[in-house]
Amino acid sequence: MASLIAKRSSSSLLGGLRAAAARTYASIAVGSDLVSAAPGVSLQKARSWDEGVSSKFATTPIKDIFKGKKVVIFGLPGAYTGVCSQQHVPSYNNNIDKFKAKGIDSVICVAVNDPYTMNGWAENLKAKDAIEFYGDFDASFHKSLDLTKDLSAALLGLRSERWSAYVEDGKVKALNVEEAPSDLKVSGAEVILGQI
């Protein structure tokens, strides 16, 4: 019995590793509906602890973020990390007027963090007035989109891939996923601006 369990565990582990190694991009694609891909999922708008308490820890359903709107969303591994803080968020913050000129209703940053950390980080970057920050505290949004990455080697655990998308009324019009979390080749503001 123990050898049968070990054999099953071994083969399922190898299968999972093969699948993970083979996957380079998310299961969502251009044309996908984010609301359908993440049914029942909500994000947590960046806020202080006191704001969380007064809102009774309210969350924002995905459909409320995307339905009837033109949205640019970008995901990143985590608040206060190198490329995220020094390059990724600034690329959007510095180009916010160009997004507005193209008719974008919202530019959104999402990471597998709690909304309180996201709030402090947004304030630290002086980006909270230009970009909407959301926490995906349990990674449910990113799991739904197959956009997670295990960054335990960097002591971060399960996190988001580095990615960006242009979304109209919930439909993905452009999607960019970096090959490595330290890359910023395809998910920065300049690339997505050219895709709108």
Side-chain angles (χ1 to χ4, degrees):
M1 180 70 155
S3 65
L4 179 61
I5 292 170
K7 185 176 180 180
R8 280 189 189 158
S9 296
S10 174
S11 67
S12 66
L13 175 64
L14 289 175
L17 289 174
R18 272 191 230 107
R23 184 182 70 77
T24 305
Y25 297 99
S27 63
I28 62 160
V30 171
S32 296
D33 184 334
L34 285 185
V35 177
S36 297
V41 173
S42 293
L43 294 174
Q44 310 82 46
K45 190 152 181 118
R47 60 190 170 219
S48 70
W49 178 260
D50 290 341
E51 290 168 328
V53 170
S54 69
S55 73
K56 296 183 169 89
F57 303 104
T59 60
T60 307
I62 296 300
K63 66 179 189 247
D64 293 353
I65 295 171
F66 295 105
K67 283 298 180 187
K69 298 174 187 164
K70 292 181 179 180
V71 176
V72 168
I73 183 170
F74 63 103
L76 40 79
Y80 295 102
T81 57
V83 175
C84 304
S85 295
Q86 296 163 11
Q87 297 174 49
H88 207 177
V89 172
S91 79
Y92 285 88
N93 200 28
N94 295 337
N95 284 290
I96 201 67
D97 291 336
K98 292 178 184 176
F99 286 111
K100 297 301 177 190
K102 288 187 175 255
I104 299 301
D105 296 304
S106 302
V107 174
I108 294 172
C109 174
V110 62
V112 181
N113 282 111
D114 63 77
Y116 320 109
T117 298
M118 293 297 283
N119 186 62
W121 186 48
E123 289 176 353
N124 182 281
L125 293 173
K126 296 177 178 44
K128 195 172 177 186
D129 293 335
I131 300 169
E132 293 178 33
F133 286 77
Y134 285 89
D136 181 18
F137 81 95
D138 62 356
S140 59
F141 177 64
H142 287 93
K143 287 176 187 174
S144 296
L145 305 180
D146 197 21
L147 282 170
T148 57
K149 187 164 205 75
D150 184 355
L151 295 178
S152 295
L155 306 177
L156 295 170
L158 186 67
R159 293 295 176 135
S160 168
E161 294 273 11
R162 187 177 305 283
W163 62 282
S164 66
Y166 168 49
V167 182
E168 277 187 29
D169 193 30
K171 301 274 191 245
V172 178
K173 299 294 185 181
L175 175 67
N176 309 293
V177 182
E178 299 289 356
E179 288 186 28
S182 58
D183 287 348
L184 188 63
K185 297 174 184 174
V186 299
S187 65
E190 295 79 11
V191 173
I192 203 86
L193 274 165
Q195 296 172 320
I196 299 171

